[in-house]
Amino acid sequence: MTITNETETASAVGLDVRPLSGYIGAEIFGVDLREPLEPAVVAEIRATLLKWKVVFFRDQHVTPAQQIAFGRQFGEVTPGHPTLPTLEGHPEIFPLDSQAYSAGLKSGFQVRSLWHTDVTFVHNPPMGSILRGVVIPPYGGDTQWTNLAVAYETLSEPLRSFIDGLHAVHVNQIHLERGDSSQLQKLFTSTRYETVHPVVRVHPETGERVLFVSPNFTERIVELSNTESQQVLSLLFNHLATPAYTVRFRWQPDSIAFWDNRATAHLVPTDYGHLGFDRVMHRITIAGDIPVGVDGGQSEAREGGSFS
């Protein structure tokens, strides 16, 4: 894949697209997300998303309702989360609040931050996620994304051929860095989800092959022994986190990130919890399709089923 890092301008619809790194991420200027967008603008944003995998907007003073309305121009907006609480009055919004993180530290447990693709434990993981910065710390709290299509492409040909035919089990689980939180674990797994996805999925819009494993939710590879599975997944997890394939975004109030959940993983920041700053984010997700592997086979739902 050849991608340049030059500024691009979608002059036909007035958008100013500014790539942020060599493989992933672009800022889009020249659009007001508070109002319904013209079809040509929606199409241009979608095309930019497909190319750069995650796009960012600055100074978008949107309400929760306007954030939801923006998302609906790209597909069906799902409930905020399959098992966790949503924003009062807006069930489509999943709030991420640093006060909950701080409460966890005080009670002796800490959730481990791992690279992940959102909600891969359901049969039809989201097509995309849209995250808005509501309360942003003066420093710290950056989010990182990685390009899973490039991660696949840069594996050696023999390894690509090997993993093309593999399938992995994804479950809704929480990894703790320290301590124990049976209450959080019970809430997160209040509905049990288990899905077998292809290790390599074919992107439904671009046709790209994408490395579709998630350190947070991928448990094991079906066709391998437990020891082999652990070793292969460790290799793939380390590879997808290669810094060259990533972008790091510095949040500001009213910044918005919109990522293609079919072709990216991201990393939740952990460098601000000890600082005493509040950080509040609002996320919505757009319903996705059932992943398809290189052989044309679809994912298999074992427990929990689809989510929409």
Side-chain angles (χ1 to χ4, degrees), residues 170-199:
H170 295 237
V171 298
N172 54 326
Q173 59 188 353
I174 291 179
H175 301 265
L176 295 180
E177 188 67 37
R178 60 170 62 92
D180 178 45
S181 175
S182 57
Q183 181 179 3
L184 179 60
Q185 294 276 13
K186 184 177 180 181
L187 181 64
F188 196 76
T189 59
S190 56
T191 297
R192 167 75 176 177
Y193 286 92
E194 180 176 317
T195 304
V196 177
H197 292 302
V199 169

Side-chain angles (χ1 to χ4, degrees), residues 242-265:
T242 300
Y245 312 151
T246 69
V247 65
R248 182 172 183 140
F249 185 63
R250 178 72 186 101
W251 288 97
Q252 298 170 356
D254 293 317
S255 293
I256 288 178
F258 181 6
W259 61 94
D260 187 337
N261 200 58
R262 303 161 297 186
T264 62

Side-chain angles (χ1 to χ4, degrees), residues 13 29 41 74 110 135 154 156 169 219 253-254 264 294 299-301:
V13 293
F29 297 90
V41 175
F74 296 88
Q110 180 181 353
V135 178
T154 51
S156 65
V169 177
E219 189 175 63
D254 293 317
T264 62
V294 175
S299 300
E300 172 197 350

Side-chain angles (χ1 to χ4, degrees), residues 40-278:
V41 175
V42 173
E44 191 62 44
I45 292 173
R46 193 178 195 101
T48 305
L49 177 71
L50 292 176
K51 178 175 182 179
W52 291 103
K53 312 309 183 193
V54 55
V55 295
F56 306 103
F57 306 87
R58 298 288 192 185
D59 300 317
Q60 300 291 334
H61 309 293
V62 300
T63 65
Q66 288 169 334
Q67 181 180 358
I68 295 166
F70 170 64
R72 284 179 176 149
Q73 295 173 95
F74 296 88
E76 175 194 351
V77 175
T78 71
H81 194 274
T83 59
L84 296 179
T86 57
L87 187 68
E88 184 176 357
H90 296 283
E92 302 91 345
I93 292 181
F94 176 48
L96 300 160
D97 193 329
S98 61
Q99 293 184 4
Y101 174 84
S102 299
L105 291 178
K106 292 175 184 177
S107 61
F109 77 90
Q110 180 181 353
V111 177
R112 188 178 181 190
S113 178
L114 296 171
W115 286 98
H116 67 283
T117 300
D118 284 335
V119 203
T120 59
F121 45 83
V122 302
H123 196 203
N124 58 332
M127 164 266 172
S129 297
I130 301 174
L131 186 66
R132 179 170 71 96
V134 181
V135 178
I136 302 300
Y139 54 89
D142 296 357
T143 306
Q144 299 174 72
W145 285 264
T146 189
N147 185 330
L148 297 179
V150 169
Y152 173 81
E153 290 174 4
T154 51
L155 292 169
S156 65
E157 192 280 329
L159 187 53
R160 292 199 305 268
S161 296
F162 173 60
I163 66 174
D164 279 350
L166 299 181
H167 302 81
V169 177
H170 295 237
V171 298
N172 54 326
Q173 59 188 353
I174 291 179
H175 301 265
L176 295 180
E177 188 67 37
R178 60 170 62 92
D180 178 45
S181 175
S182 57
Q183 181 179 3
L184 179 60
Q185 294 276 13
K186 184 177 180 181
L187 181 64
F188 196 76
T189 59
S190 56
T191 297
R192 167 75 176 177
Y193 286 92
E194 180 176 317
T195 304
V196 177
H197 292 302
V199 169
V200 179
R201 74 176 292 184
V202 178
H203 195 288
E205 293 188 71
T206 68
E208 295 170 297
R209 295 186 181 185
V210 176
L211 183 60
F212 200 62
V213 291
S214 176
N216 223 21
F217 303 126
T218 304
E219 189 175 63
R220 66 188 182 280
I221 295 177
V222 174
E223 292 86 356
L224 305 181
S225 71
N226 288 339
T227 299
E228 292 168 338
S229 175
Q230 183 181 23
Q231 295 297 319
V232 171
L233 284 176
S234 178
L235 183 155
L236 298 178
F237 292 165
N238 287 332
H239 180 69
L240 69 83
T242 300
Y245 312 151
T246 69
V247 65
R248 182 172 183 140
F249 185 63
R250 178 72 186 101
W251 288 97
Q252 298 170 356
D254 293 317
S255 293
I256 288 178
F258 181 6
W259 61 94
D260 187 337
N261 200 58
R262 303 161 297 186
T264 62
H266 57 281
L267 189 64
V268 175
T270 58
D271 64 340
Y272 66 91
H274 64 292
L275 299 173
F277 300 135
D278 289 336

